[in-house]
Structure formats: structure tokens, C-alpha cells
């Protein structure tokens, strides 16, 4: 299996809750941030203003293993996990050093706006998949 | 001075931080929620899809007096505080029963998109102001 | 199967994103808000200051069917879906009128702080489950 | 006047709203992120677990000049603006290249928990101020 793309982040104060740890909903935002960084590394944007296409979510999951706390640094590893005709699934591992914080997935479907303004699902371009996959492998590994 | 419009809300878990109280940035969202409820009470919407006008913020302030905690109910009182040719300032008091949580302001300027797509400030319609002011006075006071 | 508990909510401006719809991460917060409202309806609190117990998430899922937009009102139906020795799973349906926005689950494990301050999973009290289940059935259905 | 401390950031998708720009409330979080980065650069933490002291906000302001959009990189410059016996005011300029996005302030008061658990304001340690001021000056300026 190819190398995942790595995105590094630090926990911010507003992301914690009264239990003293990161609120669980932030794991979904952390995954999305990593995914979008992968798009940029591939020379793409998930929300290219020049395109009428978009990538709404159709599914999101996360399994929580360990808590994250204020000011901790962590890493989000992301892979293109599964490609179907009209959707992409990304798989994620969030970790703080050797400690796995949790694992999750985001599935997005490609849509375009037709002339009436309605969204219609549409095939994922092969080139998009190739570029996303290549971006992870080309990341400098320090 | 006319009656303010009242908006009631409960603190949600994700709004708290590790200090055990509502994160300060939420006061700005609570103010906005109350302002938008006032627009609805006036039969308007701050983001009317049928209009090319919008109301971006030009200033926001908040003075914090007392903390809010998880599950507490509070009230946001909002008034149309100051009207200038191209902007509206709303003034807010957030309170939990007799305890003032804080006071703040939001100032919004009216903009329209011109044909090139650029935003341009534009006069505030007199009718908008009249309706916002009337909405507060007509609120049933239980 | 027993009646679900219903929680009603309106989409706020800050919950939308540049695609013009509610950002997907908010579905997880909407589910949590409904779950916590169910705890309150049961005469309980998910974060009772008098108890050293807590309910961290171990899993969260959501399947997205239709978008939600600014100012739309929607309903979150929540059920106690599965009870195991040390965890509870809640199942949710988010809908706007007849339109299903999506369905999801949140699984929480019961923990207590031991004397060293470490969190340890602990059996779910039978009374807690009974009260959560009863709360849904006793909700007035208008 | 001494050099400000600089914090660099990129706009994330969840920070935008249906107007296609960053929601105004995020400017307050961006300011806080920069402030907390300054504390770390000074070898301190705004929420040191070893201390019973905290820094709740007493005032926050922001004046908005230009919008920020998805994926744009920006810089938050922060200075220790005003020091009084029991509070610190930080002043901020958020900019994208030469374009000023806006300017703001955050004022925090130093509190400690007394034996009853109540919060009491307390003098700002001179050493804290000196370290925060020194941290900005010592930042490598690329």
C-alpha cells in the first residue's frame, strides 16, 4: 500500500470542552483539513472556483481510541481508500506520536450543477484520483 | 426607548471549553443568532436568496461580565441601536436570569453585488429599519 | 419499537459553508444536542457536576441524504439503540418535514475517575437506561 | 515600538459561510490562536495545568476591513498592547499579504481559584509580561 499523506496540527483552546479534552466533533474537521491539504498537495482544490463541480459528503465515521488535549501536536494520515465510479472514500489515522487518537473515513460524491441549478452526481475523473494518489507518495518524509 | 427583542437559548456541550465555561467566541454567535431571529420576526431574512444584497459585519465588540456554563438557559436582548446611511448597529445584553453575562454590539453594512460581481455598500432601506424596530415592540411578552 | 425523542432546531448562519449548505460536521453536533436534551428530559445530565462519571464517545457515524440550508427548521429523532455492559449507542434520524437529511449513531462509554485521576470504564447503571427510554415515551406528541 | 509576534494560518473550509467568506466569529478564534502561540513562544501556556491561575476574557473587539476566503493564507500579528495591574490587552492585525483583513483586541484578566473554588482577580506577574514581550522580539524574521 502506498504512503499516506501526513498533515500536522496543534490543538487549539476553542476545540476543547468542559471534559478537558478535544470535543469529538473536531475529529471530523481535522480529517477534512487533512483531506483538503492532500488536494492542495496534488495541485487541486476541493472547491475550485473555476469548476461547477463539488464534493459533498455522503458518509463520515470515526472511532475514538484516546483523547487529545490543549496544545498537543498531532498528525493526521490520509489515504485514498476506495474509489468507485462516482465517489471517493478517504481513510484517516489521527495520532499523537505513537498514540493512536482514532481512525475514520470520509466518503464524498462528485456532483455538478446542471443548467437548472440542481446537483447531479457525476463520474470521478481518473486524473483526479491519480493526482491525489501521487501527492501522498511524493511528500517529503522527514 | 423601545422594548428589545428577546431570544432564548441553552448552552450546548460543544460550546464549552476546558475552563468549564462557554468559550468567549460563542458570545458573538449568540448575538448573531438573536439578530437573525429579529430579522425573521420582522418578516425578513438577513440572507434573502431573492435579493443580491448582504450585510457583512464591519465591527463587533463584547464585554464579558460573568461566565455561562453547560445547560444554562440564557436570554439575548437585541435592539436596533444606531442607524446610519449605509449601516446598522445592533446592541445586545446577554443575561441568565438577573445575572448579566455581558453586553456587545454588531455593526453591519448593506452591500449589493454590482454587475462585475464586486460588493458595493448601498443605502439601508428605511422600510427595513422600520420593520426591525416594529418587530421588537410586537413580541409577545410572557 | 418505542417512540423516539424529538428535538427541534433551526439552522444558524455560522453553521453553513461556502457551498451554501450546513457543513457536514454540524450533523454530529445536532445529534449530540438531541441526545443531551433526552438526558434532560429523563431528569439527568450527561455532565452532572455532582458525579465523577462521564460519557466519552467511542464511535460516531453519519450518512448524509439531503442538504440542510440556512434558517430551515429540522427535527432530530433519537433512540437508545443498543445497550451493552459499559456503553450506550444512540441512533438518530435528522429530517426536515418529510425529507430525511441523514441518519447516524453515537456510542458513548461510561467512565469514572479513579483516585489517581485516570479514567476507567464502568458499568452503565440500569436506572439510567430505564430513565432515558422512558423519557422518549413520555414526550408530549403535538 | 517592538516587533509584533507573527502567526501564520490558512483558511479551512468549515470556517466559511454561505456568503462564501470566513464567518466573522472566526476572527476572534484566529486572534486567540495567535495569542496562545505567543505564550508558547515565551515558554509559557495560557492554561498551565500546574497553575491554578487562568486568563478569562473581559473584552474583545474586531473591526473588519476585507473578507478572507477558503484556502487563503494569512498572518496574525500580535502585540502586548496594554498592561494594567490585573489585566493584559493584546492588539492584533490580521493581513493577507498587503491587504489588511481587520484589527482587534483581546483583554484578559488574571484570576486564581481561592480555597472555596471561587475565581478572584489577581496581579499579573511582571515576569509573565517580560517574557511575552521578549518572545515577539526574539522571533526569527524570515
Amino acid at each position: 500500500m502506498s504512503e499516506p499523506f501526513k498533515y500536522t496540527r496543534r490543538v487549539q483552546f476553542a476545540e476543547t470542552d468542559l471534559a478537558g479534552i478535544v470535543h469529538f466533533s473536531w475529529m471530523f474537521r481535522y480529517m477534512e483539513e487533512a483531506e483538503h491539504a492532500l488536494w492542495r498537495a496534488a495541485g487541486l482544490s476541493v472547491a475550485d472556483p473555476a469548476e461547477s463541480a463539488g464534493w459533498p459528503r455522503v458518509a463520515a465515521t470515526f472511532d475514538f481510541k484516546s483523547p487529545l488535549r490543549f496544545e498537543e501536536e498531532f498528525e493526521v494520515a490520509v489515504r485514498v481508500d476506495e474509489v468507485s465510479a462516482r465517489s471517493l472514500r478517504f481513510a484517516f489515522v489521527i495520532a499523537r506520536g505513537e498514540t493512536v487518537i482514532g481512525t475514520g473515513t470520509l466518503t464524498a460524491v462528485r456532483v455538478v450543477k446542471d443548467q437548472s441549478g440542481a446537483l447531479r452526481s457525476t463520474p470521478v475523473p481518473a486524473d483526479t484520483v491519480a493526482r491525489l494518489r501521487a501527492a501522498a507518495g511524493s511528500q517529503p518524509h522527514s
Side-chain angles (χ1 to χ4, degrees), chain A:
Chain A
M1 188 139 75
S2 64
E3 285 293 311
F5 179 80
K6 303 283 184 67
Y7 173 75
T8 301
R9 178 76 150 72
R10 187 188 294 277
V11 174
Q12 299 297 335
F13 197 88
E15 297 160 10
T16 62
D17 63 32
L18 65 84
I21 61 176
V22 170
H23 188 260
F24 84 98
S25 62
W26 276 95
M27 298 301 159
F28 293 93
R29 295 191 178 179
Y30 295 159
M31 289 195 288
E32 179 169 88
E33 290 186 17
E35 182 210 316
H36 292 176
L38 170 58
W39 285 81
R40 284 191 295 275
L44 302 168
S45 170
V46 80
D48 188 339
E51 280 207 69
S52 58
W55 294 89
R57 308 313 188 177
V58 291
T61 67
F62 200 78
D63 291 302
F64 304 79
K65 305 299 185 198
S66 301
L68 265 177
R69 292 193 161 75
F70 179 48
E71 297 197 322
E72 289 181 342
E73 270 199 318
F74 60 94
E75 199 174 64
V76 186
V78 48
R79 285 173 201 281
V80 179
D81 183 41
E82 204 176 279
V83 178
S84 76
R86 288 160 194 273
S87 70
L88 287 181
R89 190 173 71 195
F90 298 92
F92 302 84
V93 179
I94 300 184
R96 188 191 64 250
E98 301 296 300
T99 305
V100 175
I101 303 304
T103 60
T105 60
L106 294 178
T107 309
V109 64
R110 188 164 187 267
V111 298
V112 290
K113 250 184 205 158
D114 66 21
Q115 288 178 327
S116 74
L119 295 177
R120 200 166 37 78
S121 78
T122 185
V124 174
D127 177 58
T128 299
V129 176
R131 289 173 76 167
L132 289 170
R133 285 197 161 133
S138 66
Q139 189 180 31
H141 297 282
S142 53

